[in-house]
Amino acid sequence: MAPIVLVHGIFNHVRGASPEQAAARRVADCRPRLVESLHRLSVEAPEMVMAYYADLLRPDLPDQAQSAGDDTSFDGLSAAERAAAAEWLAAAGAVQPADPQNVALAPLRQMLGWLVDQRGGGLSGTAREQTIRRLERAIVANLREVEAYTTWPQRRNLVRERVAEVIRREAPAVVIAHSLGSYVTYETLHAHIDLQVELLVTVGSPLRVPSLARRLDPALRSGRGARPAGVKQWVNIADAGDVVAVPPKLAKVFPVDVDKTCDNGLGFHGIGGYLANGLLAAAVAPYIS
């Protein structure tokens, strides 16, 4: 059994690897950053495992959900996807189109560039363009992997079962769920009420993104989410510049016990920046030391 289970987000498919091999590779990539942050507290990082499900979101599965393709630019989005992306950027604080009826025609890169200028600390030239491109890819990948996850019920069940199996087998004190993984974990813990987790840590979570929140199972009630029955403590951490975790304060909608914002620099949405952050280390340490 491992004291910590990580649930990954987007960009984690490992081509040609079995789920077990992919999980081992991904956790090996992540572990040094958590070791780094816990070391500052004089706490030794315990064993951890990854709940890996990215292979279940690939487009070679049934074509009811063709959303895990390789085109990660705004140019490849459908009108409905462009509208969802514009809504996403507006939730992050970007200026909305003057005519809400034309939201699908919104200048998405212009909206994203405005956000980067507001949050990027004066980036210019190549650094600015690289940051915009990286965040564009993250938004598109999230939209498409959520589409893959939510539009075919059997796929959704397969993902939940995979994540639940790891949590049940490992019986961890702590589950750290990143990005889309927080969405999957929230639904998994609701669907499998036997699962008990001392501490759930969501990082870079898109649970409040309007187009994603509308698809949650269980659905929000009167605009509020519910705590999974087996979760004793829930900590949420969002980078102030993370356009995937918008709006950043989950506690306004979900029963989060501790809701923190941080600054991971230009790392923005990556799980490494969150694992290396002192806020996460401080939250996790009492449960593993």
Side-chain angles (χ1 to χ4, degrees), residues 132-174:
I132 290 173
R133 176 60 182 142
R134 186 166 66 247
L135 295 178
E136 178 181 352
R137 291 178 67 240
I139 291 171
V140 171
N142 266 283
L143 280 171
R144 290 188 163 161
E145 292 200 2
V146 168
E147 182 77 7
Y149 174 68
T150 60
T151 57
W152 185 48
Q154 290 168 286
R155 188 194 298 261
R156 198 172 201 159
N157 290 335
L158 285 171
V159 172
R160 289 175 175 177
E161 290 289 344
R162 175 84 63 80
V163 174
E165 179 184 3
V166 174
I167 296 174
R168 187 175 292 114
R169 182 188 71 226
E170 301 297 334
V174 178

Side-chain angles (χ1 to χ4, degrees), residues 39-286:
H39 179 74
R40 294 194 291 268
L41 300 179
S42 299
V43 174
E44 184 176 350
E47 182 184 355
M48 62 188 73
V49 299
M50 177 76 76
Y52 177 81
Y53 60 89
D55 58 309
L56 298 175
L57 300 183
R58 303 308 297 167
D60 52 348
L61 291 179
D63 53 354
Q64 286 92 332
Q66 293 288 339
S67 53
D70 294 326
D71 185 354
T72 54
S73 72
F74 290 145
D75 295 335
L77 297 180
S78 67
E81 290 170 332
R82 288 185 63 83
E87 186 180 31
W88 191 318
L89 293 169
V95 177
Q96 301 184 54
D99 182 359
Q101 298 302 315
N102 290 327
V103 67
L105 302 177
L108 299 178
R109 286 199 185 90
Q110 182 178 331
M111 295 173 73
L112 183 53
W114 185 90
L115 285 174
V116 169
D117 292 341
Q118 291 296 308
R119 302 180 180 190
L123 292 176
S124 61
T126 301
R128 179 180 183 273
E129 292 306 312
Q130 289 176 342
T131 299
I132 290 173
R133 176 60 182 142
R134 186 166 66 247
L135 295 178
E136 178 181 352
R137 291 178 67 240
I139 291 171
V140 171
N142 266 283
L143 280 171
R144 290 188 163 161
E145 292 200 2
V146 168
E147 182 77 7
Y149 174 68
T150 60
T151 57
W152 185 48
Q154 290 168 286
R155 188 194 298 261
R156 198 172 201 159
N157 290 335
L158 285 171
V159 172
R160 289 175 175 177
E161 290 289 344
R162 175 84 63 80
V163 174
E165 179 184 3
V166 174
I167 296 174
R168 187 175 292 114
R169 182 188 71 226
E170 301 297 334
V174 178
V175 173
I176 301 173
H178 174 241
S179 185
L180 176 62
S182 67
Y183 194 99
V184 169
T185 301
Y186 178 83
E187 293 197 345
T188 298
L189 293 174
H190 273 293
H192 297 268
I193 60 175
D194 62 301
L195 299 177
Q196 300 292 311
V197 176
E198 292 288 325
L199 174 66
L200 170 64
V201 184
T202 50
V203 294
S205 175
L207 277 169
R208 282 191 66 196
V209 173
S211 61
L212 277 61
R214 288 193 292 268
R215 302 186 182 196
L216 272 173
D217 177 26
L220 302 182
R221 293 189 175 183
S222 301
R224 297 287 302 178
R227 181 195 294 267
V231 173
K232 294 186 178 179
Q233 184 82 357
W234 184 352
V235 173
N236 180 63
I237 302 172
D239 188 295
D242 189 342
V243 298
V244 172
V246 296
K249 290 291 187 179
L250 287 191
K252 293 185 177 181
V253 174
F254 298 90
V256 172
D257 298 294
V258 180
D259 209 345
K260 298 286 189 180
T261 55
C262 64
D263 182 358
N264 290 331
L266 296 182
F268 289 115
H269 184 61
I271 190 173
Y274 283 110
L275 292 174
N277 192 282
L279 290 175
L280 186 143
V284 168

